[in-house]
Amino acid sequence: MKKEYSISGMHCATCARAIEKSIGQISGVKESRVNFAAEKATVSGTFNNNDILKAVKKAGYTAAVYSASEHSRMHHGKDRKYRRKFIIATIVSVPLLYFMLADFIGKSVPFSETTMPYMALVSFVLATFAQIFLGADFYKGMISGLKNKTFNMDSLIAIGTTTAYAYSLVNYLIYIFANNTLIATMDATPSNLYFETAVFLITFVILGKWLEARATAKTGEAIKRLMGMKPKIARLVRGAETTDISVDDIKIGDVLAVRPGEQIPVDGEVARGATAIDESMVTGESVMVDKIVGDKVIGATVNGSGAIEIRAEKVGDNTMLARIIRLVEEAQLSKAPIEALSDKISSVFVPAVLVIAAAAFLIWYFLLGAELSFAVMTFTSVVVIACPCALGLATPTAVMAGTGQGSRMGILIKGGEPLQKIGGVNAVVFDKTGTLTEGKPVVTDIIALKKTEREILQIAATLESSSEHSLAKAILDKAENENIKPARHTDFKAVAGRGVQAKIRNKTYYLGNVAFAGEHSKGKLPEIASLENEGKTVALLFDEVSVLGAIAIADRPKKTAAKAVKLLAKMKIETYILSGDNRRSVAATARKLGIQNTFAEVLPGEKSDKIAELQQSGKKVAMVGDGINDAPALALADVGIAMGGGTDVAIESGDVVIVNGDPRDVADAIRLGRATLRKIHQNLFFSLFYNAAGIPIAAGVSAFAGISLKPELAGLAMALSSVSVVSNSLLLRFFKARK
């Protein structure tokens, strides 16, 4: 069993690890994954919801069983919460800013002579309000972390603000008891008060949290966009009448009317009429697709100018849109392997920062003889600027943005791990039929030796009318186009790997390959090498005496296949064809497409062996396929890429799904993976570089040169670092397909 939960109250990656640890202690839980950026948890195993909710609460956070509406409400609630807090914090900060300017500038500030005696008292009241009400979440987070025996970002903020507030409070109380007054007098003025530092620090951190919440919400817009596409109402056809019903009430087999400009309600096939449909919402292609009776349609796509009726085939959670939403949700919850690095760094980072901050205080105060106030503010600055929030956001926000952008392009990447792996691919192995080719074989040549072309085609169509072979449909379609009907026949027999045979008017005819002809016909076999060199499959028609003729069948390469190979070549990626077809046919297809490496006549069970051989040679392999026989190879490859027009098994086996089946999207998927990986590296570098550069300055290393960093400015810098990481990830929304 696998279930999802919405989580609220997290402030950094350390919070996510604390929740994972707490859930992991429940009996029956096999795995728990918490995504800080998505604010969601995925738990697998045997358990009940109450145990999970209690475990999250024990860790100091709030959870609810996931639903799209509830999660959206919680997510937007976080945005509103921090906006409200920031407004209040700004109002509280204004008087303190006024006092600070009056203290620096002096009497030129209006009303300063009247108000300055009350500066300490007003600052104390406002700072106390800020600590208790505005900073309450930081204390709650710190307590939760301590319960889980960890330090987190909240710990650093709470320690930093408390230090500035407590130091100021102690000095203010000393002044009060020494002078028996709460306000400044002509003879004495409170000194070494840093109440404004604590308030400004809280204000800037809340600003960062608000901006971060707004930016992070944008990384999840792909899910909201997909959910918003789901139609609400359908028009059910019953006899001559139509009735409006909820899409949720549609059953398989229902006939639904779709007027021009309306959305297709569910997946199905055209039962009546003809039209063109805009399928860009799932394929990323803006070209309208013509549809006639019998053609498949996808729910949520938009009907063109024709009125049609469709027969429902997939409803509810089984529709293409529902599956896409599920895949994108799972992808955005997953973790990229590189995230383990940031988790490991974060786990030791906070304790190390506290040690550095304490060392800075001790060195300045005891060894260098600095004033106590300077040493305390140095300690506070180090603690605040070193918050690892940006580090925790570096990977998940990039993964969410990358997978979201992929879904807009019709490329579904199932999580952080395949997203990271696909960026390192240097070899792409394509299945041939249905992947590089149209998957719709057609008759290209009819060679008549002892009968007319029409007679050859009729006998062949008669034999194939009882066959289930993939080439049979090509022959039957050709006969239908020529208005040729199959004749009656008896004693039909299909010989695996050879061909078919049957009696027509008491005479036995055979249709199959060269080996089959050699077994049954005494006549001379025709030269067919030239046809096979063109990539065509040749079926010989013969009786027991001689070969009567031959039919050449070809599966044409997709129009975009050659372009896909060129795109991959420009990216320094080797391409291969892996197929069960004969060597000449595979070689011909490879020549047309510009592919240098081929594996031909490979049995379905041997395809995964070829993938393993490439991996053993040091290649990072992506396998691209669409059939059930490709599933083992897709699963074994470093990255399995399934064509969306293929079978459900192939789609489930693949790490990446190309919705519209365009081979060029393979190159774009790899480019997107590389771009996302670059963003992750950039985010990790800047977050670590920021801390590496900021901590020494905050510790006062450059104080001798007149460069120092006040705690409130350290808080602002820390907040903006998180926003910059999220913003950098959001740049992936501008990634464009080369096609």
Side-chain angles (χ1 to χ4, degrees):
M1 178 175 68
K2 180 184 287 188
K3 296 201 73 172
E4 295 179 350
Y5 301 86
S6 296
I7 307 292
S8 63
M10 292 189 294
H11 297 96
C12 63
T14 308
C15 302
R17 287 196 301 276
I19 296 171
E20 286 178 350
K21 182 179 178 181
S22 184
I23 294 175
Q25 294 172 352
I26 297 174
S27 176
V29 170
K30 292 183 179 179
E31 182 186 23
S32 63
R33 290 181 297 160
V34 179
N35 187 309
F36 165 52
E39 295 187 299
K40 289 171 70 176
T42 302
V43 185
S44 58
T46 305
F47 51 86
N48 63 61
N49 288 328
N50 287 335
D51 288 341
I52 302 298
L53 301 181
K54 287 178 182 177
V56 176
K57 185 176 181 180
K58 181 182 177 182
Y61 307 90
T62 305
V65 177
Y66 176 79
S67 71
S69 58
E70 177 65 13
H71 188 73
S72 178
R73 184 191 67 78
M74 291 172 66
H75 206 73
H76 285 297
K78 183 178 179 181
D79 182 1
R80 290 194 298 270
K81 169 188 171 182
Y82 282 117
R83 180 180 61 185
R84 183 173 63 251
K85 278 198 166 189
F86 175 66
I87 292 172
I88 295 172
T90 301
I91 294 171
V92 171
S93 299
V94 169
L96 298 179
L97 179 61
Y98 169 81
F99 287 137
M100 187 173 69
L101 291 174
D103 190 37
F104 286 157
I105 299 174
K107 296 180 180 180
S108 59
V109 175
F111 310 110
S112 60
E113 292 186 15
T114 305
T115 57
M116 284 305 288
Y118 299 93
M119 178 187 74
L121 178 60
V122 174
S123 297
F124 163 69
V125 172
L126 294 177
T128 303
F129 171 83
Q131 289 294 127
I132 295 174
F133 296 101
L134 299 178
D137 286 343
F138 302 128
Y139 289 104
K140 290 177 183 177
M142 181 176 70
I143 292 170
S144 297
L146 293 175
K147 283 182 180 179
N148 292 283
K149 299 178 182 179
T150 61
F151 283 103
N152 53 28
M153 172 192 155
D154 290 334
S155 303
L156 296 180
I157 298 299
I159 291 171
T161 57
T162 301
T163 300
Y165 175 81
Y167 179 73
S168 302
L169 178 60
V170 169
N171 286 327
Y172 186 42
L173 290 175
I174 291 173
Y175 170 82
I176 292 173
F177 288 116
N179 296 279
N180 198 30
T181 180
L182 295 173
I183 63 175
T185 66
M186 295 293 293
D187 300 321
T189 303
S191 60
N192 293 324
L193 301 186
Y194 295 93
F195 288 122
E196 77 282 356
T197 296
V199 175
F200 292 162
L201 181 53
I202 289 173
T203 301
F204 288 140
V205 172
I206 290 175
L207 170 62
K209 286 292 183 183
W210 177 37
L211 295 175
E212 180 186 304
R214 294 186 65 188
T216 304
K218 292 181 180 179
T219 64
E221 283 184 355
I223 294 290
K224 297 174 192 173
R225 182 183 64 88
L226 290 169
M227 288 180 173
M229 290 178 176
K230 183 181 177 182
K232 303 295 188 294
I233 301 296
R235 303 173 70 238
L236 179 65
V237 177
R238 288 177 177 163
E241 297 182 354
T242 60
T243 306
D244 287 351
I245 63 170
S246 169
V247 169
D248 296 331
D249 295 332
I250 297 174
K251 296 179 176 59
I252 294 175
D254 283 348
V255 176
L256 309 164
V258 185
R259 291 176 292 196
E262 291 182 337
Q263 283 183 294
I264 306 296
V266 293
D267 295 1
E269 68 173 19
V270 178
R272 183 180 179 184
T275 189
I277 292 179
D278 178 1
E279 296 184 341
S280 60
M281 53 78 61
V282 291
T283 65
E285 295 285 354
S286 58
V287 179
M288 301 287 282
V289 181
D290 292 330
K291 302 287 182 179
I292 59 174
V293 173
D295 286 345
K296 303 296 182 183
V297 293
I298 303 171
T301 55
V302 180
N303 186 25
S305 58
I308 58 173
E309 292 180 1
I310 69 165
R311 184 173 290 104
E313 293 184 336
K314 292 182 179 180
V315 299
D317 291 339
N318 294 318
T319 63
M320 172 71 82
L321 179 62
R323 292 176 69 190
I324 289 174
I325 291 173
R326 189 162 59 249
L327 286 176
V328 176
E329 283 182 328
E330 290 174 356
Q332 297 195 338
L333 269 175
S334 69
K335 290 186 176 183
I338 197 173
E339 191 166 350
L341 173 63
S342 60
D343 287 348
K344 189 174 182 180
I345 293 172
S346 295
S347 65
V348 299
F349 192 78
V350 176
V353 166
L354 292 175
V355 171
I356 294 171
F361 171 81
L362 294 173
I363 290 171
W364 276 110
Y365 187 64
F366 290 104
L367 295 183
L368 300 179
E371 292 183 2
L372 179 61
S373 60
F374 180 84
V376 169
M377 290 302 103
T378 298
F379 172 87
T380 304
S381 295
V382 172
V383 166
V384 170
I385 200 168
C387 286
C389 194
L391 188 64
L393 289 167
T395 300
T397 54
V399 169
M400 290 178 69
T403 53
Q405 183 61 17
S407 72
R408 295 185 185 95
M409 297 164 56
I411 301 170
L412 304 181
I413 302 175
K414 298 181 182 178
E417 185 170 356
L419 189 64
Q420 180 176 335
K421 284 185 175 181
I422 199 171
V425 163
N426 54 23
V428 175
V429 179
F430 288 98
D431 170 56
K432 184 171 79 74
T433 305
T435 301
L436 288 174
T437 65
E438 296 288 351
K440 299 176 181 178
V442 294
V443 173
T444 58
D445 303 271
I446 299 177
I447 298 98
L449 299 177
K450 295 193 175 180
K451 288 185 179 290
T452 65
E453 289 187 11
R454 192 172 181 82
E455 289 173 327
I456 296 292
L457 185 56
Q458 184 184 39
I459 295 172
T462 301
L463 295 176
E464 292 289 23
S465 63
S466 297
S467 173
E468 295 181 356
H469 194 276
S470 59
L471 300 181
K473 188 175 187 306
I475 293 174
L476 291 170
D477 287 346
K478 178 67 173 177
E480 184 179 352
N481 291 337
E482 299 290 335
N483 294 319
I484 296 174
K485 295 183 178 181
R488 289 188 175 185
H489 62 282
T490 59
D491 299 338
F492 173 83
K493 182 181 179 182
V495 182
R498 292 288 191 270
V500 294
Q501 64 184 68
K503 283 187 177 180
I504 303 174
R505 292 186 288 274
N506 295 321
K507 183 174 182 179
T508 302
Y509 290 94
Y510 305 84
L511 182 69
N513 57 26
V514 173
F516 196 37
E519 293 172 2
H520 295 278
S521 178
K522 300 174 183 176
K524 183 179 179 182
L525 301 180
E527 180 59 45
I528 60 173
S530 61
L531 292 172
E532 290 184 338
N533 286 337
E534 294 175 12
K536 299 174 182 178
T537 299
V538 181
L540 299 175
L541 178 67
F542 53 93
D543 56 23
E544 295 176 350
V545 178
S546 61
V547 175
L548 307 176
I551 296 178
I553 300 169
D555 186 7
R556 296 189 181 96
K558 291 181 177 178
K559 295 178 180 178
T560 59
K563 179 65 174 176
V565 174
K566 288 181 180 178
L567 288 172
L568 291 169
K570 288 181 180 179
M571 297 164 64
K572 310 297 181 185
I573 295 174
E574 294 182 7
T575 51
Y576 297 76
I577 292 181
L578 178 61
S579 176
D581 285 355
N582 66 74
R583 297 183 184 280
R584 286 175 177 170
S585 176
V586 173
T589 301
R591 283 195 303 273
K592 290 177 182 177
L593 301 180
I595 295 176
Q596 303 296 322
N597 311 291
T598 61
F599 297 113
E601 299 177 6
V602 181
L603 297 176
E606 297 173 346
K607 286 190 173 184
S608 56
D609 295 336
K610 297 299 182 184
I611 298 297
E613 287 177 16
L614 290 173
Q615 289 173 326
Q616 289 168 7
S617 69
K619 305 287 186 187
K620 297 295 183 183
V621 183
M623 170 68 193
V624 188
D626 71 329
I628 292 176
N629 61 343
D630 297 321
L634 288 169
L636 182 63
D638 295 283
V639 180
I641 303 177
M643 290 299 188
T647 65
D648 289 346
V649 175
I651 291 175
E652 293 301 322
S653 300
D655 302 303
V656 178
V657 179
I658 306 299
V659 177
N660 68 351
D662 188 338
R664 293 176 299 177
D665 284 343
V666 174
D668 281 332
I670 295 173
R671 288 180 54 243
L672 179 59
R674 290 179 176 180
T676 305
L677 200 55
R678 281 196 300 272
K679 288 298 176 191
I680 293 174
H681 288 152
Q682 289 168 7
N683 289 346
L684 289 174
F685 171 78
F686 285 122
S687 58
L688 290 172
F689 176 80
Y690 160 82
N691 282 312
I695 290 175
I697 297 174
V701 171
S702 56
F704 299 105
I707 300 174
S708 60
L709 192 64
K710 289 189 174 183
E712 58 268 34
L713 296 179
L716 179 60
M718 182 275 295
L720 294 179
S721 70
S722 297
V723 176
S724 65
V725 163
V726 177
S727 300
N728 187 47
S729 296
L730 287 174
L731 292 176
L732 286 169
R733 299 171 72 193
F734 299 101
F735 179 90
K736 300 296 182 185
R738 281 186 174 170
K739 66 183 181 181

